[in-house]
Amino acid sequence: MVQAYILIQTEVGQAAEVANRIRGIAGVEEAHDVTGPYDVIVQAKADDIDALGTLVVARIQRLEGIDRTLTCPIVNI
Amino acid sequence: MVQAYILIQTEVGQAAEVANRIRGIAGVEEAHDVTGPYDVIVQAKADDIDALGTLVVARIQRLEGIDRTLTCPIVNI
Amino acid sequence: MVQAYILIQTEVGQAAEVANRIRGIAGVEEAHDVTGPYDVIVQAKADDIDALGTLVVARIQRLEGIDRTLTCPIVNI
Amino acid sequence: MVQAYILIQTEVGQAAEVANRIRGIAGVEEAHDVTGPYDVIVQAKADDIDALGTLVVARIQRLEGIDRTLTCPIVNI
Amino acid sequence: MVQAYILIQTEVGQAAEVANRIRGIAGVEEAHDVTGPYDVIVQAKADDIDALGTLVVARIQRLEGIDRTLTCPIVNI
Amino acid sequence: MVQAYILIQTEVGQAAEVANRIRGIAGVEEAHDVTGPYDVIVQAKADDIDALGTLVVARIQRLEGIDRTLTCPIVNI
Amino acid sequence: MVQAYILIQTEVGQAAEVANRIRGIAGVEEAHDVTGPYDVIVQAKADDIDALGTLVVARIQRLEGIDRTLTCPIVNI
Amino acid sequence: MVQAYILIQTEVGQAAEVANRIRGIAGVEEAHDVTGPYDVIVQAKADDIDALGTLVVARIQRLEGIDRTLTCPIVNI
């Protein structure tokens, strides 16, 4: 199991709608609007790093209103 | 009351118009065109951090010609 | 109550120690090592935006091994 | 006369002291601690762009606790 | 007189055309394609900082194929 | 001969298709999807720095789905 | 097995020495000096994402002359 | 022959001294202090991309007061 924070920049004026849409995706645990260089921060989990990449590219990035995503996998070191 | 600086990147060629439009929004105290990585810097205030977020997303980002905004709330530490 | 994600860059080789030290600070809910442009991501809460600023500057930034912090307050918009 | 916003990153734990020190410099109109990628935002003025550069490099950057400054001159376009 | 370097990011595939178009603008002294985070670097001069801002926003940014510009005025300190 | 890494940001949802398209270009040795601030990392070679610039601007940037590229030539120092 | 590109910023003047030191670490396949915002780009592999994090923090970041590292795991999507 | 712009971030308070020191290096054609995210911008030339890398790492980065350099080779495309 891999967990990750996903830092998202949305198109202008879309932050609230994007957070709502993301909350409905399987594997997403939390999604919040934030201020600063990112607009939405998501916590998600997947079976492995490839499944995490697929969750981001094939599910989250397909939503309307997303400009850029930055995936930060959690590591236990 | 929360005060903030809002650093704005506009679409190319839109800096002067964007600053003018922003000056008319309630809660905005100053808006200036600048050179450097940002195009317009705004000073604004709101009742609390949520109202500040709403001012940025629902009012400022709805204006034509805005590409990205970066909100920097003032803190008294 | 204000909640925030705090994105942290540590000095090289210090990520694991920094995450451990941060977990012991009052107001910190979670702290994880991550890969990518940040080394540790923290979730924290405080009474208001000023208390959040104080938590970051007077408590987290005083720890050994921290290079930069980026505070992203959660907003309900 | 040239006016500018100066966006400052301080060394960790130094934001409050830096803002206080900067407020005492001639030409500085305001200096506030903020959250986000910058730690202190300053408003200042000088006779021309060269004097502004000197104010930043010879006065502000000489203060203890400053890591990086980013000068954004106001332009009337 | 103010001189400046202007660091330009173009739309993909447009770097050569943008550099050519910029060379024809009054006040532009040199314009070169480069590799790295910027696509074209321009050297230009104007009467003062306001005229420089106008040159960038009203002339250079109006050209087709420009995505972002970053103006760096030369200072004599 | 010049070799380079090319760090690519794709349009959202396009990372896998972009990597596939790039693998078919002459001079490209490897192209992989990655997580983090870049979406695809490419290794390529060209006769000299000008040919490398042409490969990036005239071939890779002409593909559908590319948002930004960052070319990092290998140097032997 | 997880593969990754590791983008490294070195202390000034240390790029060649850092690349040489990294080539001797188990799990590192290639390490090259580059120009641009990064100084050295490394290709490495590890058993899983946690082992990759340990390789970076406990081995690479312990070398002299490293300022920041940015790990980009390869994903098959 | 390869020409390049080198964008330099100096240690705080060192911009003027760094520009002066760089002007004395063989291969450097111009060096100016600027405002914005960089402190000094240099124009230089070298026999090829490897000689350019050596000029930057072995000569410019060895000077006192340099924090980061970003080399942008000119390409004819």
Side-chain angles (χ1 to χ4, degrees):
Chain A
M1 181 67 62
V2 174
Q3 288 181 290
Y5 292 92
I6 306 163
L7 315 178
I8 296 178
Q9 296 180 321
T10 68
E11 295 173 10
V12 286
Q14 298 289 314
E17 291 80 358
V18 165
N20 275 335
R21 285 177 201 133
I22 288 176
R23 284 189 195 103
I25 293 179
V28 169
E29 299 175 305
E30 291 190 47
H32 295 288
D33 292 298
V34 294
T35 72
Y38 307 103
D39 303 304
V40 177
I41 294 183
V42 173
Q43 291 169 265
K45 62 181 176 187
D47 280 350
D48 56 26
I49 189 80
D50 291 341
L52 180 65
T54 302
L55 169 65
V56 172
V57 172
R59 302 297 309 277
I60 293 177
Q61 291 191 357
R62 300 285 179 184
L63 296 176
E64 201 183 344
I66 304 239
D67 196 34
R68 287 281 312 154
T69 69
L70 172 50
T71 304
C72 303
I74 293 178
V75 290
N76 300 294
I77 52 180
Chain B
M1 181 65 61
V2 175
Q3 288 181 291
Y5 292 92
I6 305 163
L7 315 177
I8 296 178
Q9 296 181 322
T10 68
E11 295 172 10
V12 286
Q14 297 289 314
E17 292 79 358
V18 165
N20 275 335
R21 287 176 200 134
I22 288 176
R23 285 190 194 101
I25 293 179
V28 168
E29 299 175 304
E30 290 190 49
H32 296 288
D33 291 297
V34 293
T35 72
Y38 308 103
D39 303 305
V40 177
I41 294 183
V42 174
Q43 289 169 265
K45 62 180 176 188
D47 281 348
D48 56 25
I49 189 80
D50 290 342
L52 179 66
T54 301
L55 169 65
V56 173
V57 172
R59 301 296 310 277
I60 292 177
Q61 291 192 356
R62 300 284 180 186
L63 297 174
E64 200 182 343
I66 304 239
D67 195 35
R68 289 280 313 154
T69 69
L70 171 52
T71 303
C72 304
I74 292 178
V75 290
N76 301 294
I77 51 181
Chain C
M1 180 67 61
V2 175
Q3 288 181 289
Y5 291 91
I6 306 162
L7 315 177
I8 297 177
Q9 296 180 322
T10 67
E11 295 172 10
V12 285
Q14 297 289 314
E17 291 78 359
V18 165
N20 276 335
R21 286 176 200 132
I22 288 176
R23 286 190 195 102
I25 293 179
V28 169
E29 299 175 304
E30 289 190 48
H32 295 288
D33 293 297
V34 294
T35 72
Y38 307 103
D39 302 305
V40 177
I41 295 185
V42 173
Q43 289 168 265
K45 62 181 176 185
D47 281 349
D48 55 26
I49 189 80
D50 290 342
L52 179 65
T54 303
L55 169 64
V56 172
V57 173
R59 302 296 310 279
I60 292 177
Q61 290 190 358
R62 299 286 179 185
L63 295 176
E64 200 183 343
I66 304 237
D67 196 35
R68 290 280 312 154
T69 70
L70 171 50
T71 303
C72 303
I74 291 177
V75 290
N76 301 294
I77 53 180
Chain D
M1 180 67 62
V2 175
Q3 288 181 291
Y5 291 93
I6 305 162
L7 315 178
I8 296 178
Q9 295 180 322
T10 67
E11 295 173 11
V12 286
Q14 297 289 314
E17 292 78 359
V18 165
N20 275 335
R21 286 177 199 132
I22 288 176
R23 285 190 195 100
I25 294 179
V28 169
E29 299 175 305
E30 288 190 49
H32 296 288
D33 293 297
V34 294
T35 72
Y38 308 103
D39 304 303
V40 177
I41 293 183
V42 173
Q43 289 169 265
K45 61 181 176 188
D47 282 349
D48 55 26
I49 189 78
D50 290 342
L52 179 65
T54 302
L55 169 64
V56 172
V57 172
R59 302 295 311 277
I60 292 177
Q61 290 191 358
R62 300 284 179 186
L63 295 175
E64 200 182 345
I66 305 237
D67 196 35
R68 290 279 313 154
T69 70
L70 171 51
T71 302
C72 303
I74 291 178
V75 290
N76 300 294
I77 53 179
Chain E
M1 181 65 61
V2 174
Q3 288 181 290
Y5 291 92
I6 306 163
L7 315 178
I8 297 178
Q9 295 179 323
T10 68
E11 295 172 11
V12 285
Q14 297 289 314
E17 291 79 358
V18 165
N20 275 335
R21 288 176 198 131
I22 288 177
R23 285 192 195 100
I25 294 178
V28 169
E29 299 176 304
E30 289 191 48
H32 295 289
D33 292 297
V34 293
T35 71
Y38 307 103
D39 303 305
V40 177
I41 294 184
V42 173
Q43 289 169 264
K45 61 181 176 188
D47 280 349
D48 56 25
I49 188 80
D50 291 341
L52 179 65
T54 301
L55 169 65
V56 173
V57 172
R59 301 296 311 279
I60 292 177
Q61 292 190 358
R62 300 284 179 187
L63 296 176
E64 199 183 345
I66 304 238
D67 195 36
R68 290 279 314 154
T69 69
L70 171 51
T71 303
C72 303
I74 291 177
V75 290
N76 300 294
I77 52 181
Chain F
M1 180 67 61
V2 175
Q3 287 180 292
Y5 292 92
I6 306 163
L7 315 178
I8 297 178
Q9 295 181 322
T10 68
E11 296 173 9
V12 286
Q14 298 289 313
E17 291 79 358
V18 165
N20 275 335
R21 287 176 200 132
I22 288 176
R23 286 191 194 100
I25 294 178
V28 169
E29 299 175 305
E30 289 190 48
H32 295 288
D33 293 296
V34 293
T35 73
Y38 307 103
D39 303 305
V40 177
I41 294 184
V42 173
Q43 289 169 265
K45 61 182 176 186
D47 280 350
D48 56 25
I49 189 81
D50 291 342
L52 180 65
T54 302
L55 168 65
V56 172
V57 172
R59 302 296 310 278
I60 292 177
Q61 291 191 357
R62 299 285 179 185
L63 296 176
E64 200 183 342
I66 304 239
D67 196 35
R68 289 281 311 153
T69 69
L70 171 50
T71 303
C72 303
I74 292 177
V75 290
N76 300 294
I77 52 180
Chain G
M1 180 68 60
V2 174
Q3 287 181 292
Y5 291 92
I6 306 163
L7 315 177
I8 296 178
Q9 296 180 322
T10 68
E11 295 172 11
V12 286
Q14 297 289 313
E17 291 78 358
V18 164
N20 275 334
R21 285 176 200 132
I22 288 176
R23 284 190 196 102
I25 293 179
V28 169
E29 299 175 304
E30 289 190 48
H32 295 288
D33 292 297
V34 294
T35 72
Y38 307 103
D39 303 305
V40 177
I41 294 184
V42 173
Q43 289 169 265
K45 62 181 176 186
D47 281 347
D48 56 26
I49 190 79
D50 291 341
L52 179 65
T54 302
L55 169 65
V56 172
V57 172
R59 302 297 309 278
I60 292 177
Q61 291 191 357
R62 300 285 180 186
L63 296 175
E64 201 183 343
I66 304 237
D67 197 33
R68 289 280 312 155
T69 69
L70 171 50
T71 303
C72 303
I74 292 179
V75 290
N76 301 294
I77 52 179
Chain H
M1 181 67 61
V2 175
Q3 286 181 292
Y5 292 92
I6 305 162
L7 315 177
I8 297 177
Q9 296 180 322
T10 67
E11 295 173 11
V12 286
Q14 297 290 314
E17 292 79 357
V18 165
N20 276 335
R21 286 177 200 132
I22 288 176
R23 284 189 196 102
I25 293 179
V28 169
E29 298 176 305
E30 290 191 49
H32 296 288
D33 292 298
V34 294
T35 72
Y38 308 103
D39 304 304
V40 177
I41 294 183
V42 173
Q43 290 169 264
K45 62 181 176 188
D47 281 348
D48 56 26
I49 189 79
D50 291 341
L52 179 64
T54 301
L55 169 65
V56 173
V57 172
R59 302 296 309 276
I60 293 177
Q61 291 191 358
R62 300 285 179 184
L63 296 176
E64 201 183 344
I66 304 237
D67 197 34
R68 289 280 312 154
T69 70
L70 171 50
T71 303
C72 303
I74 292 178
V75 289
N76 300 294
I77 52 180

